[in-house]
């Protein structure tokens, strides 16, 4: 197991369209496990492979609270089979946009198909925060960040802040 560094925006690696996994082999399983460990260390509820510099279509999610049983979900090649007409607004954050938050409108419920840790095809129905988090992670696989769903004024404010913070850090 290894703790992977999480890439912070702005960074071209967050804009790449990730490639489908051909098979869930030991290498993909190790990536999934390292991502879950890295996500927990960073206190996140989801993580997508591009955030750790790996452009394969792999995401992990665990929305359980600290006092609850862990509920880790590992997905390769996730695909939306259905989204509800009903939309919901939830406040989102992103480990690649540290300390930035905004309300994002997305379908409230989804059905997703994916390959699990054993390479078996699975389908999952999700609603509320779980549905939000899965959609947020799937967006990362297409180079999309939650700020791409909000007004351009808010997006520019957030990206400018992070760009300045990076310049300060590297000066
Ligand atoms: O930790 C995270 N919290 C979060 C809150 C609301 C909606 C989505 C998320 S995902 C985020 C971790 C992350 O950046 N995943 O890509
Ligand atoms: Ni994110």
């Amino acid at each position: 197991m290894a703790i992977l560094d999480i890439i912070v925006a702005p960074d071209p690696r967050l804009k790449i369209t990730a490639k489908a996994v051909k098979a869930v082999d030991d290498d993909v399983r190790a990536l999934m496990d390292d991502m879950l460990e890295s996500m927990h260390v960073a206190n996140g509820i989801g993580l997508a492979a591009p955030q750790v510099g790996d452009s394969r279509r792999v995401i992990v999610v665990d929305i359980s609270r600290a006092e609850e049983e862990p509920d880790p979900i590992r997905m390769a090649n996730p695909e939306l089979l259905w989204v509800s007409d009903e939309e919901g607004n939830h406040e989102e954050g992103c480990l690649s946009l540290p300390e930035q938050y905004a309300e994002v409108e997305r379908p409230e419920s989804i059905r997703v198909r994916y390959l699990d840790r054993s390479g078996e095809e699975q389908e999952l129905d999700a609603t509320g925060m779980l549905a939000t988090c899965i959609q947020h992670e799937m967006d990362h696989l297409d180079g999309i960040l939650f700020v791409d769903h909000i007004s351009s004024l808010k997006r520019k404010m957030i990206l400018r802040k992070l760009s300045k913070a990076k310049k300060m850090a590297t000066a």
Side-chain angles (χ1 to χ4, degrees):
M1 298 271 269
I3 309 291
L4 310 168
D5 283 333
I6 296 172
I7 296 167
V8 172
D11 190 299
R13 291 170 291 177
L14 295 172
K15 301 232 167 180
I16 296 170
T17 299
K19 290 197 173 68
V21 160
K22 290 204 182 101
V24 181
D25 56 15
D26 285 348
D27 189 57
V28 171
R29 275 187 281 278
L31 174 65
M32 288 169 160
D33 295 349
D34 287 347
M35 284 170 60
L36 268 174
E37 193 181 15
S38 307
M39 179 194 89
H40 283 128
V41 167
N43 286 316
I45 59 172
L47 194 65
Q51 292 180 278
V52 295
D54 191 307
S55 66
R56 285 180 284 184
R57 299 187 80 80
V58 171
I59 67 174
V60 296
V61 174
D62 187 346
I63 65 158
S64 67
R65 294 168 179 278
E67 69 276 12
E68 293 172 347
E69 281 294 303
D71 187 17
I73 305 173
R74 300 165 175 86
M75 299 185 178
N77 301 346
E79 280 178 86
L80 288 176
L81 297 177
W82 173 82
V83 299
S84 61
D85 288 333
E86 189 199 344
E87 308 245 338
N89 279 282
H90 296 274
E91 181 164 84
E92 298 194 20
C94 182
L95 294 170
S96 296
L97 303 165
E99 290 160 54
Q100 310 302 318
Y101 303 92
E103 290 258 317
V104 178
E105 187 175 70
R106 299 184 187 270
E108 183 64 12
S109 304
I110 63 170
R111 171 168 292 164
V112 61
R113 179 165 68 198
Y114 61 96
L115 301 177
D116 68 12
R117 196 179 187 284
S118 312
E120 299 260 3
E121 196 170 285
Q122 301 286 347
E123 287 184 19
L124 176 70
D125 290 325
T127 191
M129 203 59 222
L130 181 59
T132 296
C133 189
I134 292 169
Q135 291 176 83
H136 173 121
E137 302 318 331
M138 289 181 68
D139 270 354
H140 277 296
L141 302 180
D142 293 320
I144 295 166
L145 301 174
F146 81 75
V147 290
D148 295 318
H149 294 286
I150 64 180
S151 77
S152 69
L153 179 65
K154 284 186 194 166
R155 173 169 60 249
K156 282 172 185 161
M157 279 173 44
I158 288 177
L159 293 174
R160 199 177 310 123
K161 243 187 258 179
L162 292 168
S163 174
K164 279 187 185 165
K166 253 193 189 179
K167 287 197 179 110
M168 294 287 287
T170 57

